[in-house]
Amino acid sequence: MTNGPFSNPDLWPTAITAFDADDILIRGRNVVDLMETGDFGSVAFLLLTGRQPTQGEAAVWNAIMIASSDHGPTSPSTFAARVIASGNRRAPEAAVGGGILAIGDAHGGAGEEAMVFLQEGLALARKPGGTLRLAAEEIVSNYRSTGRRMAGLGHRFHVVDPRTERLWSLSQSFGLSEDGIALMREIAAVLTETVGRPMPVNVDGAIAAALIDMGLAPPIARMVFILGRAAGISAHVLEELAREKPMRLRFDFRYDGPVVEPNSDTRKEEA
């Protein structure tokens, strides 16, 4: 692939994919070879990072996507997709797309935020006199002083998120458990002591720490969540279309706005 439009310096450059009449390259590797020897998770890792994962990284990465794949119909992305599918029966792609669009800072973005404060904490711990414990205390103090909820800790449904330790033990088994996971444990301990109730690391925090120890950048956390959750969203859309009637989602609500009496505005104007 040395000739053709991909070598024209005036065209839009990309380091991700190239193709001609005979071949398709992903990050310089022939897609046919990747189809024969790879798995989707490893190819996704290659696309996002520009390098192929080690055996351990591939295992942890795939575990992250599995852990992110679904958490029932109550999560914002899945719920949104169900609502769209309930009203739009002929375009399941719209429901899937709408579900993905419901992913954001509050749902699916916690891992990225946690990776940012883990990076900051590790920088503090590596300064002269710094320790992981001191870094954790400073991070928790900063969040508490501004009244912000810490990303990656606590869960609406689980007292202990069952995915956390399994993911971290997998990281450890491949020699990938380093200071990121250790710092997240310290943060959970400090926060628990500070608020006086258990604040365990949830799957977002577990993913963030594992990705930090793999040397990846914070935006990757949101992308790997989207990759995993797209499968669950798709399954819920198909189930909604197959099992439920159109427009079946109805909700009780209460009105708390103003009540304007008939002709009241007119009387005021006349007065």
Side-chain angles (χ1 to χ4, degrees):
M1 284 195 172
T2 57
N3 300 314
F6 43 81
S7 60
N8 187 333
D10 297 325
L11 296 179
W12 184 351
T14 176
I16 300 171
T17 305
F19 63 89
D20 59 17
D22 301 311
D23 296 300
I24 304 170
L25 302 184
I26 293 178
R27 297 290 190 183
R29 294 164 176 82
N30 196 299
V31 70
V32 173
D33 296 334
L34 293 173
M35 290 166 62
E36 292 178 351
T37 62
D39 62 86
F40 176 73
S42 294
V43 173
F45 187 99
L46 171 65
L47 281 164
L48 290 172
T49 69
R51 65 179 178 83
Q52 288 187 304
T54 65
Q55 180 185 3
E57 287 172 334
V60 172
W61 181 264
N62 276 283
I64 288 171
M65 290 198 298
I66 293 168
S68 304
S69 63
D70 195 40
H71 200 273
T74 61
S75 64
S77 56
T78 308
F79 187 66
R82 286 263 191 176
V83 172
I84 295 169
S86 182
N88 186 346
R89 312 294 289 183
R90 296 185 180 181
E93 68 277 9
V96 173
I100 290 173
L101 288 173
I103 295 171
D105 292 340
H107 168 54
E112 180 178 3
E113 181 181 343
M115 285 186 75
V116 171
F117 69 62
L118 285 173
Q119 284 185 332
E120 294 170 352
L122 290 175
L124 289 171
R126 289 162 184 164
K127 289 182 177 180
T131 66
L132 293 177
R133 179 71 181 197
L134 290 173
E137 290 173 351
E138 182 164 339
I139 291 169
V140 172
S141 176
N142 289 340
Y143 267 84
R144 298 279 292 172
S145 66
T146 58
R148 292 179 296 161
R149 180 182 181 277
M150 291 201 71
L153 293 121
H155 201 283
R156 291 187 299 165
F157 303 112
H158 302 297
V159 176
V160 175
D161 195 316
R163 298 164 291 186
T164 296
E165 287 301 330
R166 184 58 59 91
L167 179 61
W168 284 355
S169 65
L170 185 64
S171 294
Q172 185 174 14
S173 70
F174 284 102
L176 297 173
S177 177
E178 298 186 10
D179 284 347
I181 292 175
L183 176 57
M184 186 58 89
R185 290 189 189 278
E186 290 286 356
I187 290 171
V190 171
L191 186 61
T192 293
E193 293 167 7
T194 302
V195 303
R197 67 179 187 277
M199 294 295 293
V201 179
N202 61 38
V203 72
D204 295 310
I207 289 170
L211 293 176
I212 282 286
D213 283 345
M214 289 163 65
L216 300 179
I220 295 292
R222 195 174 303 219
M223 297 307 170
V224 72
F225 180 87
I226 291 171
L227 285 169
R229 187 52 60 95
I233 291 171
S234 299
H236 280 276
V237 168
L238 291 177
E239 183 178 77
E240 185 70 30
L241 295 174
R243 294 176 51 172
E244 304 295 347
K245 295 179 180 179
M247 293 290 290
R248 62 106 179 177
L249 292 164
R250 295 179 174 84
F251 312 95
D252 291 332
F253 68 94
R254 66 181 180 87
Y255 177 72
D256 64 356
V259 177
V260 180
E261 296 296 330
N263 302 320
S264 61
D265 293 338
T266 303
R267 286 197 298 272
K268 289 178 181 178
E269 290 174 3
E270 291 174 351

